[in-house]
Amino acid sequence: MLADYSILLIGAILVNNFVLVQFLGLCPFMGVSNKLETAMGMSMATTFVLTLASACSYLTYNYLLEPLGLAYLKTISFILVIAVVVQFTEMVVRKSSPLLHRVLGVYLPLITTNCAVLGVALLNINKDHNFLQSLFYGFGAAAGFSLVLVLFAAMRERLAVADVPQPFKGAAIGMVTAGLMSLAFMGFAGLV
Amino acid sequence: MALLRITSPHAHGPMSTQRVMQQVLLAALPGIVVLTYFFGFGTLVNILWGSLLALSFEALALKLRGRDIGFYLKDYSALVTATLLGIAMPPYAPWWLIAVGIASAIILAKHLYGGLGYNPFNPAMVGYVVLLISFPVQMTAWTAPRGVGEVPGLLDALQACFLPALYDGVTQATPLDVLKQNNSLLIEQLWEDNPIFGRWAGLGWEWANLAFLAGGAWLLYRRIFTWHAPVAMLLSIALLSAIFYDGGSSASGGSPLFHLLSGATMFGAFFIVTDPVTSAVSLRGRLIYGALIGMLVYIIRVSGNYPDAIAFAVLIMNFAAPFIDHYTQPPTYGHRKKTEQH
C-alpha cells in the first residue's frame, strides 16, 4: 500500500517527470523561470492548484459525467473545473490570507493555461486511478514540475550572465538546457 | 580599458588553467595505462582520435565565435574533455561514434554556453549521455578483459576505429551488468561462477579504479580540487551499498567494495565530480552535491535500466548545482548570516 503510493510519487516526480519526460507545462517552465523568487511562487501555487484540481476532476468524472453517460465531455468539463478551481482558490486566498495572496496571487491565473494540470486530470482517468491515487498523482506531478522549475530558474540566473553567442541568447539556450536536462532524466528510466 | 597600477612586489599565481589541465591529464595516465593493459589499445585510440577531433571542433567553434584560436586552444581544456570521454567510452568504438560524442561535448555543451567557465554541464558527460541514449548498442559493447578473453592488438584497435565494418570483435557484459541481471544466485556463487568478477570488483576494473584513485589522490595533494565532493560521493555510495548489501543474498545490491571499485566510480569521483566549472562552488554545497551524486549513482545502478550511472547522476546534479549554491552561500566576512539580519 505504502509502496504503491511511493512508486506513484517517484514515477510522477522523476521517471515520468511532467516537464522533462512528458513535455507538459512547458510554457510556465520557459516563461516563469527567469528568476528564482518568481519560480518559487509559481511552483507553490501550481502544487496547490494541481493537487486540488486532480481531486475535483476525479470527482466530476466519476460522480457526474460517468453516471450521466457524458464521459465524452471530459476534456471540456475538466477545463471548466480547472478554471473554477483556480478562480475559487484565488478568491479564498485573497479573503483569508492577504500574505499568501501576495505570494501566489499573480501566478494563479497563469495556472489555468498550464497544460500539465489538464494532463494530470486526463491521465488520472486513462490510468484508472482511484481518488487517493489521483490525489497523489496530482501532487507528484506538481512536485516534479516544481523541482524542475526551481532548479531551472537557479540555472537560468547563471546563464543570464554567461557569454552565450548572440543567436543563442535567452530562450534558445534555455531550450538547449531543457533538452540536455531531459537527456539526463532519461537515466531514471526503469526505476519504477 | 582600465589600467590598474599596483606596486611591487607581485606574487605570481602559478595555477593557470593550462597548468591545472596539464596536471589533470597527467593524473589520468595511470588509469589509462591500466585500462590499456586489461582491455587493449582501444582506449588509447579513443583518446587520440578524440583529441584530434576535439582540437578541430574547438578551433572551428572559436573561429565561428571570432575568438583568439591560439590562446584558447592552449588551455588544454579540449584535450581534457577528449581524454575523459575517451576513457568513459567503450574501447574499439567506431570513428563516427567518437566524432558525434566529441561534437556534442565541445560544440553543444561548451561553446553554445560561451566556452570554458560558462558551461553548466560537464562537456564529457554530455557527450557520453548523448551517445548512450542515441547509440545504446555501440555504447554498451565492452570487450572482455585480459584473463577472460583475448585482448586485441594495436592493428585491430585501429581497424575497429577507422574501418568498423571490417572489424569483428568479441564483447562481454561488465561486472555491473552481470550483477544487475542476477536473478537467483547468491553473491558468492556469482563470484565463483564468473571469472569476470576478479578478486573484489571485476577483473581489470578494480585495478583501473585503484589507478584512478591514485591519480585523484595526487591531484588532491596538488590542491587542484578540495576533498569535499569526491569524499562525499564515495561515502554515500559506500553507506548506501552497506545498508542494502543484504548479507550477499540473491537480492543483494552488491558489496560496498564492489560498488567503490567497479564501473566508473573512482574515475567519476576524482575526474568528473571535481570539475570546478560545473560543480557546486561553496564547500558545504560541494558536500551536498557529492553526496547526492553518490546516492543517484547507487539508486540507478541497482534499480534503474542502466548498469552504471555516473554520467546521468553528474548531469542531474550539474542541473541542481546553481540551486545548491544559492542556498549554501556562506556569509561574507564581517556580516552575519542572512537569517539573523534585521
Side-chain angles (χ1 to χ4, degrees):
Chain A
M1 175 74 183
L2 191 68
D4 287 350
Y5 284 101
S6 50
I7 283 175
L8 198 66
L9 272 183
I10 293 174
I13 297 175
L14 299 177
V15 184
N16 292 316
N17 186 289
F18 270 71
V19 179
L20 292 177
V21 181
Q22 309 200 33
F23 304 115
L24 289 168
L26 281 176
C27 338
F29 181 66
M30 281 295 157
V32 204
S33 56
N34 285 322
K35 280 189 69 185
L36 189 56
E37 296 297 312
T38 49
M40 288 278 198
M42 183 67 179
S43 55
M44 274 193 286
T46 308
T47 309
F48 187 75
V49 170
L50 196 49
T51 315
L52 199 64
S54 63
C56 288
S57 46
Y58 173 84
L59 295 176
T60 316
Y61 184 80
N62 282 284
Y63 295 101
L64 196 69
L65 298 183
E66 191 87 289
L68 295 177
L70 294 173
Y72 59 90
L73 283 180
K74 63 177 187 258
T75 307
I76 197 153
S77 37
F78 287 167
I79 293 175
L80 201 65
V81 167
I82 291 164
V84 168
V85 167
V86 169
Q87 271 308 308
F88 178 72
T89 314
E90 212 221 339
M91 273 150 63
V92 170
V93 167
R94 187 167 55 204
K95 297 290 181 204
S96 60
S97 161
L99 180 73
L100 198 62
H101 185 254
R102 218 180 311 144
V103 180
L104 305 184
V106 282
Y107 307 111
L108 282 170
L110 279 176
I111 296 170
T112 325
T113 57
N114 185 344
C115 46
V117 184
L118 184 62
V120 168
L122 291 171
L123 281 173
N124 272 331
I125 307 300
N126 278 357
K127 295 182 180 221
D128 276 332
H129 285 158
N130 63 29
F131 181 69
L132 213 53
Q133 280 171 332
S134 304
L135 209 60
F136 268 79
Y137 195 63
F139 178 74
F145 173 82
S146 307
L147 172 80
V148 169
L149 180 69
V150 168
L151 296 184
F152 190 55
M155 174 159 278
R156 279 189 94 174
E157 285 192 354
R158 197 173 279 190
L159 287 184
V161 293
D163 182 21
V164 177
Q166 197 60 41
F168 291 98
K169 275 206 159 75
I173 198 72
M175 290 286 191
V176 173
T177 311
L180 290 179
M181 267 332 295
S182 207
L183 277 183
F185 263 63
M186 292 182 99
F188 287 124
L191 274 194
V192 293
Chain B
M1 190 170 128
L3 289 172
L4 296 175
R5 190 188 296 167
I6 309 166
T7 53
S8 60
H10 304 291
H12 182 63
M15 273 303 162
S16 59
T17 310
Q18 195 182 7
R19 294 267 301 161
V20 170
M21 295 292 175
Q22 279 171 347
Q23 296 192 22
V24 171
L25 286 177
L26 213 57
L29 261 185
I32 297 171
V33 170
V34 172
L35 279 179
T36 307
Y37 173 76
F38 279 103
F39 293 97
F41 289 96
T43 310
L44 272 185
V45 174
N46 280 359
I47 293 174
L48 293 179
W49 171 236
S51 300
L52 190 70
L53 286 168
L55 290 175
S56 329
F57 282 129
E58 177 100 351
L60 179 75
L62 286 168
K63 185 156 173 50
L64 285 176
R65 293 177 58 217
R67 300 298 153 100
D68 182 356
I69 297 178
F71 176 79
Y72 286 103
L73 274 190
K74 270 186 274 178
D75 71 8
Y76 284 77
S77 63
L79 283 182
V80 168
T81 301
T83 307
L84 297 183
L85 187 60
I87 293 172
M89 283 176 67
Y92 313 104
W95 62 271
W96 53 266
L97 193 67
I98 303 173
V100 172
I102 295 283
S104 326
I106 298 286
I107 295 175
L108 189 67
K110 192 168 155 197
H111 280 286
L112 279 196
Y113 287 96
L116 183 68
Y118 291 116
N119 50 316
F121 299 105
N122 188 313
M125 290 301 102
V126 169
Y128 186 84
V129 165
V130 167
L131 290 181
L132 186 58
I133 302 280
S134 319
F135 309 103
V137 176
Q138 285 85 348
M139 284 302 284
T140 45
W142 277 83
T143 49
R146 184 184 296 274
V148 173
E150 284 283 291
V151 172
L154 181 60
L155 274 180
D156 289 324
L158 289 172
Q159 193 189 26
C161 183
F162 297 106
L163 295 166
L166 299 179
Y167 178 72
D168 220 3
V170 181
T171 63
Q172 158 118 27
T174 61
L176 277 168
D177 252 332
V178 177
L179 183 68
K180 199 180 196 61
Q181 309 301 336
N182 176 25
N183 290 325
S184 54
L185 287 175
L186 296 181
I187 292 287
E188 268 179 34
Q189 287 173 308
L190 196 66
W191 247 248
E192 278 167 18
D193 289 355
N194 288 290
I196 196 172
F197 278 108
R199 193 169 302 158
W200 305 302
L203 205 61
W205 293 100
E206 50 206 19
W207 292 109
N209 270 287
L210 288 174
F212 283 120
L213 172 64
W218 181 71
L219 285 179
L220 198 58
Y221 167 73
R222 300 283 302 172
R223 299 193 186 183
I224 300 293
F225 47 73
T226 63
W227 58 271
H228 300 78
V231 169
M233 172 190 160
L234 295 177
L235 272 183
S236 88
I237 290 185
L239 193 72
L240 278 173
S241 46
I243 292 172
F244 294 103
Y245 177 50
D246 209 3
S249 74
S250 54
S252 170
S255 70
L257 194 62
F258 174 74
H259 278 285
L260 286 180
L261 292 183
S262 200
T265 309
M266 291 296 171
F267 170 67
F270 290 102
F271 291 86
I272 305 292
V273 171
T274 52
D275 178 0
V277 181
T278 57
S279 72
V281 180
S282 64
L283 296 183
R284 247 181 341 139
R286 282 184 185 167
L287 284 175
I288 300 171
Y289 174 81
L292 285 177
I293 288 183
M295 198 180 88
L296 287 174
V297 167
Y298 184 78
I299 291 175
I300 297 177
R301 265 187 190 179
V302 172
S303 44
N305 279 350
Y306 294 94
D308 205 354
I310 304 283
F312 286 119
V314 166
L315 283 193
I316 289 165
M317 289 314 293
N318 283 167
F319 186 48
F323 183 75
I324 295 175
D325 272 340
H326 191 268
Y327 283 97
T328 54
Q329 223 169 38
T332 44
Y333 184 70
H335 290 82
R336 275 191 234 160
K337 279 188 180 167
K338 265 183 190 166
T339 45
E340 294 166 26
Q341 252 176 9
H342 286 292

